[in-house]
Amino acid sequence: MKELRIRTLATVFVVAGVLSWAGARLWYSVGTLPSVPLAAPIVLALIAAVLTATGLSIRSRLKAQRERQPDAKGVDPLMAARAVVFGQASALVAALVCGMYGGVGVFLLEHLDVPARRDQAIYAGFSVLAGIGVIVAAFFLERVCKLPEDDDTNGGAARAA
């Protein structure tokens, strides 16, 4: 399984941001602008919390297994792989959503004198921050589920779960 790459996520973020900013300018020229929902940063923060909790759970189970504790509950490799795939998918979607709300937020910076637009800019900013939290949590989960280096196979390269 391939690891997440910051360059890929940054590319998705920038492309989505530019397209979103251009779309917001076009939409505003027609006379309206789609709103940034208040639930957007909340949902992204919940996803980040789930990814973090999953990573912490797997990490504690692996630590108990390494220390050979008698009541240690093992980690199913398929479950770890599914967790990594969930984290990677969440990171890609978060990069896309961050770019979209970031582009709209940058456009809204020109209209901060209107209270409704100021609130929308704040929601967009919090959405970007929560999306970054999802990406950080996904990297943490991927790091936790990474297999240790094995010099006998793959020439010493580490393999992802």
PDB file of all heavy atoms in Angstrom, residues 113-131:
ATOM      1  N   ASP A 113     -16.820  43.563   5.306  1.00  0.00           N
ATOM      2  CA  ASP A 113     -17.647  44.627   5.868  1.00  0.00           C
ATOM      3  C   ASP A 113     -19.103  44.197   6.021  1.00  0.00           C
ATOM      4  O   ASP A 113     -19.840  44.767   6.822  1.00  0.00           O
ATOM      5  CB  ASP A 113     -17.549  45.893   5.023  1.00  0.00           C
ATOM      6  CG  ASP A 113     -17.818  45.631   3.549  1.00  0.00           C
ATOM      7  OD1 ASP A 113     -17.620  44.485   3.107  1.00  0.00           O
ATOM      8  OD2 ASP A 113     -18.216  46.585   2.842  1.00  0.00           O
ATOM      9  N   VAL A 114     -19.521  43.177   5.291  1.00  0.00           N
ATOM     10  CA  VAL A 114     -20.878  42.637   5.404  1.00  0.00           C
ATOM     11  C   VAL A 114     -20.864  41.548   6.489  1.00  0.00           C
ATOM     12  O   VAL A 114     -20.099  40.589   6.373  1.00  0.00           O
ATOM     13  CB  VAL A 114     -21.351  42.052   4.054  1.00  0.00           C
ATOM     14  CG1 VAL A 114     -22.747  41.477   4.165  1.00  0.00           C
ATOM     15  CG2 VAL A 114     -21.269  43.100   2.953  1.00  0.00           C
ATOM     16  N   PRO A 115     -21.692  41.682   7.541  1.00  0.00           N
ATOM     17  CA  PRO A 115     -21.645  40.707   8.646  1.00  0.00           C
ATOM     18  C   PRO A 115     -21.879  39.256   8.216  1.00  0.00           C
ATOM     19  O   PRO A 115     -21.223  38.345   8.709  1.00  0.00           O
ATOM     20  CB  PRO A 115     -22.748  41.175   9.591  1.00  0.00           C
ATOM     21  CG  PRO A 115     -22.936  42.615   9.280  1.00  0.00           C
ATOM     22  CD  PRO A 115     -22.608  42.776   7.826  1.00  0.00           C
ATOM     23  N   ALA A 116     -22.793  39.042   7.289  1.00  0.00           N
ATOM     24  CA  ALA A 116     -23.070  37.665   6.838  1.00  0.00           C
ATOM     25  C   ALA A 116     -21.848  37.078   6.127  1.00  0.00           C
ATOM     26  O   ALA A 116     -21.514  35.904   6.317  1.00  0.00           O
ATOM     27  CB  ALA A 116     -24.282  37.641   5.919  1.00  0.00           C
ATOM     28  N   ARG A 117     -21.192  37.897   5.309  1.00  0.00           N
ATOM     29  CA  ARG A 117     -19.989  37.419   4.603  1.00  0.00           C
ATOM     30  C   ARG A 117     -18.840  37.182   5.587  1.00  0.00           C
ATOM     31  O   ARG A 117     -18.046  36.272   5.408  1.00  0.00           O
ATOM     32  CB  ARG A 117     -19.549  38.428   3.534  1.00  0.00           C
ATOM     33  CG  ARG A 117     -20.566  38.655   2.462  1.00  0.00           C
ATOM     34  CD  ARG A 117     -20.632  37.469   1.532  1.00  0.00           C
ATOM     35  NE  ARG A 117     -21.530  37.753   0.430  1.00  0.00           N
ATOM     36  CZ  ARG A 117     -22.535  36.977   0.088  1.00  0.00           C
ATOM     37  NH1 ARG A 117     -22.778  35.884   0.769  1.00  0.00           N
ATOM     38  NH2 ARG A 117     -23.301  37.285  -0.926  1.00  0.00           N
ATOM     39  N   ARG A 118     -18.740  38.005   6.637  1.00  0.00           N
ATOM     40  CA  ARG A 118     -17.715  37.824   7.649  1.00  0.00           C
ATOM     41  C   ARG A 118     -17.918  36.486   8.366  1.00  0.00           C
ATOM     42  O   ARG A 118     -16.973  35.742   8.587  1.00  0.00           O
ATOM     43  CB  ARG A 118     -17.736  38.984   8.649  1.00  0.00           C
ATOM     44  CG  ARG A 118     -16.631  38.913   9.666  1.00  0.00           C
ATOM     45  CD  ARG A 118     -16.557  40.138  10.563  1.00  0.00           C
ATOM     46  NE  ARG A 118     -17.839  40.576  11.051  1.00  0.00           N
ATOM     47  CZ  ARG A 118     -18.421  41.747  10.755  1.00  0.00           C
ATOM     48  NH1 ARG A 118     -17.821  42.592   9.945  1.00  0.00           N
ATOM     49  NH2 ARG A 118     -19.592  42.073  11.261  1.00  0.00           N
ATOM     50  N   ASP A 119     -19.170  36.169   8.705  1.00  0.00           N
ATOM     51  CA  ASP A 119     -19.457  34.884   9.342  1.00  0.00           C
ATOM     52  C   ASP A 119     -19.097  33.722   8.419  1.00  0.00           C
ATOM     53  O   ASP A 119     -18.535  32.722   8.865  1.00  0.00           O
ATOM     54  CB  ASP A 119     -20.933  34.798   9.732  1.00  0.00           C
ATOM     55  CG  ASP A 119     -21.297  35.725  10.873  1.00  0.00           C
ATOM     56  OD1 ASP A 119     -20.374  36.206  11.574  1.00  0.00           O
ATOM     57  OD2 ASP A 119     -22.497  35.977  11.066  1.00  0.00           O
ATOM     58  N   GLN A 120     -19.406  33.866   7.135  1.00  0.00           N
ATOM     59  CA  GLN A 120     -19.078  32.817   6.177  1.00  0.00           C
ATOM     60  C   GLN A 120     -17.560  32.638   6.071  1.00  0.00           C
ATOM     61  O   GLN A 120     -17.064  31.514   5.962  1.00  0.00           O
ATOM     62  CB  GLN A 120     -19.658  33.159   4.796  1.00  0.00           C
ATOM     63  CG  GLN A 120     -21.164  33.191   4.752  1.00  0.00           C
ATOM     64  CD  GLN A 120     -21.756  31.830   5.027  1.00  0.00           C
ATOM     65  OE1 GLN A 120     -21.419  30.872   4.355  1.00  0.00           O
ATOM     66  NE2 GLN A 120     -22.626  31.752   6.007  1.00  0.00           N
ATOM     67  N   ALA A 121     -16.819  33.753   6.111  1.00  0.00           N
ATOM     68  CA  ALA A 121     -15.355  33.673   6.053  1.00  0.00           C
ATOM     69  C   ALA A 121     -14.805  32.964   7.292  1.00  0.00           C
ATOM     70  O   ALA A 121     -13.855  32.181   7.199  1.00  0.00           O
ATOM     71  CB  ALA A 121     -14.758  35.072   5.922  1.00  0.00           C
ATOM     72  N   ILE A 122     -15.407  33.220   8.450  1.00  0.00           N
ATOM     73  CA  ILE A 122     -14.978  32.553   9.683  1.00  0.00           C
ATOM     74  C   ILE A 122     -15.251  31.055   9.592  1.00  0.00           C
ATOM     75  O   ILE A 122     -14.396  30.230   9.948  1.00  0.00           O
ATOM     76  CB  ILE A 122     -15.672  33.185  10.907  1.00  0.00           C
ATOM     77  CG1 ILE A 122     -15.132  34.598  11.127  1.00  0.00           C
ATOM     78  CG2 ILE A 122     -15.482  32.332  12.148  1.00  0.00           C
ATOM     79  CD1 ILE A 122     -15.906  35.405  12.139  1.00  0.00           C
ATOM     80  N   TYR A 123     -16.439  30.677   9.104  1.00  0.00           N
ATOM     81  CA  TYR A 123     -16.762  29.255   8.952  1.00  0.00           C
ATOM     82  C   TYR A 123     -15.797  28.592   7.978  1.00  0.00           C
ATOM     83  O   TYR A 123     -15.367  27.456   8.195  1.00  0.00           O
ATOM     84  CB  TYR A 123     -18.193  29.063   8.452  1.00  0.00           C
ATOM     85  CG  TYR A 123     -19.269  29.573   9.368  1.00  0.00           C
ATOM     86  CD1 TYR A 123     -20.518  29.894   8.867  1.00  0.00           C
ATOM     87  CD2 TYR A 123     -19.049  29.756  10.728  1.00  0.00           C
ATOM     88  CE1 TYR A 123     -21.527  30.370   9.701  1.00  0.00           C
ATOM     89  CE2 TYR A 123     -20.048  30.225  11.559  1.00  0.00           C
ATOM     90  CZ  TYR A 123     -21.287  30.538  11.033  1.00  0.00           C
ATOM     91  OH  TYR A 123     -22.264  31.015  11.855  1.00  0.00           O
ATOM     92  N   ALA A 124     -15.461  29.300   6.893  1.00  0.00           N
ATOM     93  CA  ALA A 124     -14.521  28.743   5.913  1.00  0.00           C
ATOM     94  C   ALA A 124     -13.143  28.557   6.545  1.00  0.00           C
ATOM     95  O   ALA A 124     -12.483  27.531   6.325  1.00  0.00           O
ATOM     96  CB  ALA A 124     -14.437  29.651   4.694  1.00  0.00           C
ATOM     97  N   GLY A 125     -12.704  29.517   7.347  1.00  0.00           N
ATOM     98  CA  GLY A 125     -11.412  29.402   8.016  1.00  0.00           C
ATOM     99  C   GLY A 125     -11.364  28.229   8.986  1.00  0.00           C
ATOM    100  O   GLY A 125     -10.386  27.469   9.016  1.00  0.00           O
ATOM    101  N   PHE A 126     -12.440  28.077   9.770  1.00  0.00           N
ATOM    102  CA  PHE A 126     -12.484  26.939  10.689  1.00  0.00           C
ATOM    103  C   PHE A 126     -12.558  25.614   9.932  1.00  0.00           C
ATOM    104  O   PHE A 126     -12.026  24.603  10.390  1.00  0.00           O
ATOM    105  CB  PHE A 126     -13.657  27.069  11.661  1.00  0.00           C
ATOM    106  CG  PHE A 126     -13.400  28.007  12.801  1.00  0.00           C
ATOM    107  CD1 PHE A 126     -14.334  28.951  13.163  1.00  0.00           C
ATOM    108  CD2 PHE A 126     -12.213  27.950  13.522  1.00  0.00           C
ATOM    109  CE1 PHE A 126     -14.098  29.827  14.210  1.00  0.00           C
ATOM    110  CE2 PHE A 126     -11.961  28.810  14.576  1.00  0.00           C
ATOM    111  CZ  PHE A 126     -12.909  29.757  14.914  1.00  0.00           C
ATOM    112  N   SER A 127     -13.208  25.609   8.784  1.00  0.00           N
ATOM    113  CA  SER A 127     -13.270  24.391   7.973  1.00  0.00           C
ATOM    114  C   SER A 127     -11.885  24.001   7.472  1.00  0.00           C
ATOM    115  O   SER A 127     -11.530  22.820   7.467  1.00  0.00           O
ATOM    116  CB  SER A 127     -14.215  24.588   6.782  1.00  0.00           C
ATOM    117  OG  SER A 127     -15.525  24.800   7.216  1.00  0.00           O
ATOM    118  N   VAL A 128     -11.103  24.994   7.066  1.00  0.00           N
ATOM    119  CA  VAL A 128      -9.740  24.713   6.609  1.00  0.00           C
ATOM    120  C   VAL A 128      -8.908  24.166   7.768  1.00  0.00           C
ATOM    121  O   VAL A 128      -8.175  23.178   7.611  1.00  0.00           O
ATOM    122  CB  VAL A 128      -9.098  25.977   5.996  1.00  0.00           C
ATOM    123  CG1 VAL A 128      -7.613  25.758   5.730  1.00  0.00           C
ATOM    124  CG2 VAL A 128      -9.805  26.353   4.701  1.00  0.00           C
ATOM    125  N   LEU A 129      -9.026  24.768   8.941  1.00  0.00           N
ATOM    126  CA  LEU A 129      -8.275  24.277  10.105  1.00  0.00           C
ATOM    127  C   LEU A 129      -8.687  22.856  10.484  1.00  0.00           C
ATOM    128  O   LEU A 129      -7.829  22.017  10.782  1.00  0.00           O
ATOM    129  CB  LEU A 129      -8.483  25.214  11.291  1.00  0.00           C
ATOM    130  CG  LEU A 129      -7.818  26.580  11.188  1.00  0.00           C
ATOM    131  CD1 LEU A 129      -8.179  27.442  12.388  1.00  0.00           C
ATOM    132  CD2 LEU A 129      -6.314  26.444  11.054  1.00  0.00           C
ATOM    133  N   ALA A 130      -9.982  22.582  10.468  1.00  0.00           N
ATOM    134  CA  ALA A 130     -10.454  21.237  10.799  1.00  0.00           C
ATOM    135  C   ALA A 130      -9.998  20.234   9.744  1.00  0.00           C
ATOM    136  O   ALA A 130      -9.647  19.090  10.064  1.00  0.00           O
ATOM    137  CB  ALA A 130     -11.972  21.224  10.934  1.00  0.00           C
ATOM    138  N   GLY A 131      -9.980  20.639   8.480  1.00  0.00           N
ATOM    139  CA  GLY A 131      -9.485  19.762   7.418  1.00  0.00           C
ATOM    140  C   GLY A 131      -8.013  19.444   7.581  1.00  0.00           C
ATOM    141  O   GLY A 131      -7.576  18.314   7.343  1.00  0.00           O
TER     142      GLY A 131
END
